[in-house]
Amino acid sequence: MKNWIIFSTVFLISLSLVISVIVLWKADAPFNGIEEQAEQLALTSKSLAIVSESYTYNGNKPYVTVFGVDEYGKEKAIFVPISLEENSIQEVFLQDGITKEQALSVLSNEPSVKKILHTKLGFEEPGAVWEITYLNNTDQLNYVYILFEDGEWWKRILNL
């Protein structure tokens, strides 16, 4: 009887672990697919010659932000809408704005920042923005948007 209990327990734990891994893998698949397509579009449209990184940015309109280098060796960020419309692609040269570290330093003046969750470059109505998501001292979620162009505050969504 003891062996059956041990076997059943190990089996159920193993089964739930396998199911969890499969669910997480399947949930991430659409993002990986759209990111690969956006990278290919950035390369085929000659916006970038080499792709270094990409991620999905969900603002008012969802974009895939693709980082890389153009044919002249300049670092760029390309914002590809998830509809993959080539004529809707936006781009910025990374040298023309603030870096991720500079955006985070703007936030360092805030005394209530407990933990920074992520920092993403995205595209909104005023142009390229850094989205910084963090938890404050009371573990409430906060979003801060800083303009890529000059490092000024654009929008804050606090205490969610």
Side-chain angles (χ1 to χ4, degrees), residues 25-26 29 38 42 47 60-61 64-65 68 85 90 92 94 109 127 133 140 148-149:
W25 178 60
K26 287 290 191 182
S47 297
N60 288 335
K61 293 181 182 175
V64 175
T65 304
E85 296 174 17
Q90 304 291 329
V92 294
L94 295 182
N109 298 333
T133 305
Q140 293 177 312
F148 170 76
E149 186 176 276

Side-chain angles (χ1 to χ4, degrees), residues 47-48 67-79 90-99 121 128 130 148-149:
S47 297
L48 293 175
F67 292 94
V69 179
D70 68 5
E71 60 188 12
Y72 303 108
K74 293 187 176 184
E75 292 182 327
K76 287 172 127 179
I78 307 296
F79 305 104
Q90 304 291 329
E91 61 182 47
V92 294
F93 289 100
L94 295 182
Q95 67 187 17
D96 294 342
I98 65 170
T99 64
L121 185 62
W130 285 104
F148 170 76
E149 186 176 276

Side-chain angles (χ1 to χ4, degrees), residues 6 10 15 17 31 54 56 81 96 108 114 118 123 128 132-133 136 159:
I6 292 172
V10 169
L15 181 64
L17 181 64
F31 290 108
S54 65
T56 305
D96 294 342
S108 68
K114 179 179 178 182
H118 77 260
F123 196 80
I132 303 173
T133 305
N136 63 11
N159 302 324

Side-chain angles (χ1 to χ4, degrees), residues 2-109:
K2 180 180 174 185
N3 288 337
W4 277 104
I5 294 172
I6 292 172
F7 172 77
S8 299
T9 304
V10 169
F11 177 76
L12 289 175
I13 289 173
S14 299
L15 181 64
S16 51
L17 181 64
V18 167
I19 290 173
S20 297
V21 168
I22 290 172
V23 167
L24 290 174
W25 178 60
K26 287 290 191 182
D28 199 36
F31 290 108
N32 292 336
I34 195 69
E35 288 172 10
E36 288 175 14
Q37 291 174 347
E39 289 174 4
Q40 286 302 317
L41 183 59
L43 293 170
T44 58
S45 68
K46 306 286 189 211
S47 297
L48 293 175
I50 300 171
V51 171
S52 59
E53 177 188 7
S54 65
Y55 51 73
T56 305
Y57 172 81
N58 288 308
N60 288 335
K61 293 181 182 175
Y63 285 90
V64 175
T65 304
V66 183
F67 292 94
V69 179
D70 68 5
E71 60 188 12
Y72 303 108
K74 293 187 176 184
E75 292 182 327
K76 287 172 127 179
I78 307 296
F79 305 104
V80 180
I82 62 166
S83 62
L84 300 175
E85 296 174 17
E86 188 172 343
N87 59 350
S88 298
I89 293 176
Q90 304 291 329
E91 61 182 47
V92 294
F93 289 100
L94 295 182
Q95 67 187 17
D96 294 342
I98 65 170
T99 64
K100 178 180 180 177
E101 290 75 24
Q102 290 170 323
L104 288 170
S105 71
V106 171
L107 188 66
S108 68
N109 298 333

